[in-house]
Amino acid sequence: MAVSQDTIFALSSGSLPSGVAIVRLSGPRCRQTLETICGRVPAPRRASLLPVRDGGGLVLDEGLVLFFPGPGSFTGEDTAELQIHGGRATVKAVLSMLGALEGLRAAEAGEFSRRAFQNGRMDLVAVEGLADLIAAETEMQRRLAAEHAAGHLSALYDSWAKRLTHARAMIEAELDFADEDDVPGSVASTIWQDMQGLKQDIVNHLAGAHVGEIVRDGFNVVIAGPPNAGKSSLLNYLAQRDIAIVTDVPGTTRDVLHVDLDLLGYAVRLHDTAGLRDTDDIVEREGIRRTQRSIAEAHLVLLLSSDPDIDWAGLSADYTGPRLRVLTKSDERADAWTPDGVDVMISVTSGEGMTALLDAVGGFLPDLESGQALSLPTRDRHFSNLRDALGHIGSALDAGPLGLDIQAEYLRLAGHALGRVTGRVDVENLLDVIFSEFCIGK
C-alpha cells in the first residue's frame, strides 16, 4: 500500500479557544520544517521551548516543540508537535504559515491514523479502537476501546492466524517433503485436534459479540405500556430534564423519544414510546407501530402501568425477551405492598422505588467485573469475517476424504478471513515455518 510523500499537518487538540493547542505534523519534511520555523530540530522525544516563526522570520508564538523520528512514531514517519497557545488567531496564523510551505498540506480526516496503518504501526482493529476511545462516553466504552487500541484483540486474532499457518505448514511438509527423514509420516494428522480447538475458540469468541455490541453501542431499554402510565414522566425523571411532553391527555407521545444514561459504566439508551392501545387516530397508530418495532429490537423492556390488575402478558404478547413489570404512581396508593406479578413499584413524584428500578435494570447488564478481558468483537465486519473463518475451518475438518491439498486450501481461506479483520492479508512464507520445524535440507 503506497504511502503519500506529502508532509501533512493538522490541529489535533480539539476546538478553540483553549489553553494549549497542539499542531501535529507527519512526513518527510518534518525536520526541514522545524529548522525553518523554529531554527532547529529538538532532541528526539524531548520538549524544547522554541519560537514559531513565519517565512519572513516574524515570531508568531512561542511554545513547546517535540520531534519523533520515524519509524518509532505514531505514524511510522518523522512526526512533530507544536504545543502553542490556543487562541483562534494564533492557531490560524500557524496553520496558514504551514500551508504556505513547499511540500506541506493540511491533513485529511483520519490521515494520521491511516498512515499509522499503512506503515504497520497499527492494524485495522487498533485503528477502530482508537476512534472508539476518542468517542467513548462511559467507563465500559473506554475499557473496550482501550483494549482494542492497545492491540489485545489483534493479538488474539494473530495467535489464531499463527495456528492456521502452522497447520498449513504441516500439511505442506507432508505433501512436499514426505521423503525427508526429518518429516515423520502422517505429520498433518497431528494438527486436526488443534484445528478443532481453534474452531471452538472462535465459536466461544463469537458468543461474546452480543456483549461487545452492548458495551460499544449501548443497552437499549424501551419503556412501554398503556397511555398515561407514566412513561414520559419516568423518562424525564431519569434524564433530569424535560425530554417528553407530559399531559393528562392519552396519546400525547406519538413518536419514539430517547435519552442516553450512564448506568454502572454502561451506555443505556432509554426509549419513551407511544401508549399501547387500539385507536382510530392514524398518527397515533403509526406511533404504536414504531413502539412495537422498538420493543422487538430492545435488550430490555420496562412494562409500565398504574393499574396493578392489568394483564401484563397482554401488553407485549409478541415480545419474549427480558422485561420488568413496573407499577407506577405508587404515591397514590393507600397500601405499600407489592402486588403479585409486579417487579418494582415507583413514583416519579416522591422518587420512591427509583433506586430499586435502576438496580433491577443494572441486573440485566453484562457482568464484566469478574476479570474477563474486553477482547470482544464489536463491528459487523468483525462478525462477518470471523464467521467466514469459522466456516472454512469447519470445511477443512470435514474435507478429509477429499485430500490434504483441499483441506490446506480451506485453511488458507480461513487465514485470509482472519487477515481481513486486522488488515493483515499478506502472503505467508510457509517455507520459513517448515524449515524451522523440521530442519529440511540440512
Side-chain angles (χ1 to χ4, degrees):
M1 199 178 288
V3 181
S4 171
Q5 293 303 304
D6 293 336
T7 295
I8 57 174
F9 64 89
L11 175 66
S12 298
S13 53
S15 61
L16 303 174
S18 59
V20 176
I22 300 176
V23 177
R24 175 183 287 175
L25 300 91
S26 179
R29 287 182 175 262
C30 260
R31 290 177 182 269
Q32 181 180 339
T33 300
L34 292 180
E35 290 173 350
T36 300
I37 67 175
C38 299
R40 67 180 176 88
V41 179
R45 300 175 186 82
R46 298 287 296 271
S48 297
L49 182 63
L50 296 173
V52 179
R53 297 184 174 90
D54 66 6
L58 177 66
V59 176
L60 302 177
D61 195 13
E62 187 178 55
L64 293 178
V65 180
L66 294 100
F67 176 65
F68 305 90
S73 67
F74 174 74
T75 62
E77 305 171 323
D78 285 352
T79 64
E81 289 186 0
L82 310 177
Q83 299 185 10
I84 58 178
H85 294 95
R88 288 190 176 92
T90 300
V91 173
K92 180 180 179 181
V94 171
L95 294 179
S96 296
M97 174 270 296
L98 292 173
L101 295 178
E102 182 182 355
L104 270 68
R105 64 170 175 83
E108 299 174 358
E111 192 168 3
F112 288 96
S113 296
R114 186 182 300 121
R115 291 191 176 195
F117 169 69
Q118 290 173 331
N119 290 316
R121 299 294 293 175
M122 305 174 73
D123 63 21
L124 291 182
V125 176
V127 169
E128 291 167 338
L130 179 61
D132 289 342
L133 189 59
I134 294 171
E137 295 182 347
T138 70
E139 173 61 16
M140 297 308 295
Q141 287 177 332
R142 183 199 66 77
R143 285 180 52 188
L144 177 69
E147 186 96 358
H148 290 194
H152 296 163
L153 184 61
S154 300
L156 176 65
Y157 295 156
D158 287 344
S159 71
W160 291 349
K162 289 179 181 177
R163 290 164 69 179
L164 286 168
T165 300
H166 178 266
R168 289 177 58 203
M170 296 302 98
I171 294 175
E172 294 292 343
E174 182 167 343
L175 290 174
D176 298 338
F177 301 99
D179 57 339
E180 295 283 346
D181 294 337
D182 290 329
V183 182
S186 301
V187 67
S189 63
T190 63
I191 55 93
W192 295 115
Q193 184 176 355
D194 182 54
M195 290 300 95
Q196 189 67 52
L198 177 56
K199 178 182 176 182
Q200 188 60 49
D201 288 343
I202 299 177
V203 169
N204 295 341
H205 184 66
L206 285 171
H210 179 66
V211 175
E213 283 184 310
I214 288 175
V215 174
R216 179 177 182 268
D217 299 327
F219 186 74
N220 289 319
V221 179
V222 171
I223 306 173
N228 283 359
K231 301 183 298 297
S232 297
S233 296
L234 175 60
L235 182 79
N236 290 343
Y237 181 94
L238 293 175
Q240 295 296 297
R241 63 184 189 275
D242 290 337
I243 301 293
I245 298 173
V246 177
T247 74
D248 293 331
V249 179
T252 303
T253 301
R254 306 220 173 171
D255 205 347
V256 177
L257 306 175
H258 71 265
V259 64
D260 293 334
L261 305 177
D262 185 342
L263 182 61
L264 301 178
Y266 290 88
V268 174
R269 174 157 288 189
L270 203 61
H271 300 262
D272 182 23
T273 59
L276 298 172
R277 66 169 179 173
D278 293 327
T279 179
D280 295 327
D281 187 308
I282 187 171
V283 177
E284 190 177 355
R285 282 211 310 267
E286 173 60 19
I288 293 172
R289 185 190 69 81
R290 296 185 182 190
T291 295
Q292 298 289 7
R293 184 179 63 190
S294 296
I295 290 174
E297 297 172 351
H299 296 122
L300 173 66
V301 172
L302 303 183
L303 293 177
L304 267 62
S305 175
S306 58
D307 178 9
D309 297 322
I310 194 171
D311 177 14
W312 295 101
L315 279 179
S316 57
D318 297 331
Y319 175 73
T320 59
R323 71 190 73 194
L324 285 173
R325 294 158 296 188
V326 182
L327 184 63
T328 60
K329 306 178 183 179
S330 62
D331 58 302
E332 300 178 5
R333 293 174 52 85
D335 48 61
W337 58 273
T338 302
D340 292 339
V342 173
D343 297 306
V344 185
M345 290 199 311
I346 65 169
S347 168
V348 298
T349 302
S350 66
E352 176 189 349
M354 300 307 295
T355 299
L357 175 61
L358 291 176
D359 288 344
V361 172
F364 288 91
L365 295 172
D367 180 15
L368 295 177
E369 297 300 328
S370 57
Q372 176 180 347
L374 283 175
S375 293
L376 303 169
T378 57
R379 284 174 164 78
D380 287 341
R381 71 172 200 89
H382 298 176
F383 313 146
S384 175
N385 288 315
L386 288 170
R387 283 192 291 264
D388 286 347
L390 183 65
H392 292 315
I393 293 172
S395 296
L397 290 168
D398 295 337
L402 301 178
L404 286 176
D405 52 344
I406 301 299
Q407 291 180 292
E409 174 61 15
Y410 280 126
L411 294 183
R412 186 192 68 81
L413 293 173
H416 192 76
L418 278 177
R420 287 198 300 268
V421 179
T422 60
R424 299 188 182 116
V425 290
D426 296 336
V427 177
E428 306 95 343
N429 190 343
L430 295 180
L431 289 180
D432 285 349
V433 180
I434 295 172
F435 285 117
S436 66
E437 291 274 340
F438 296 105
C439 302
I440 293 173
K442 183 179 178 179

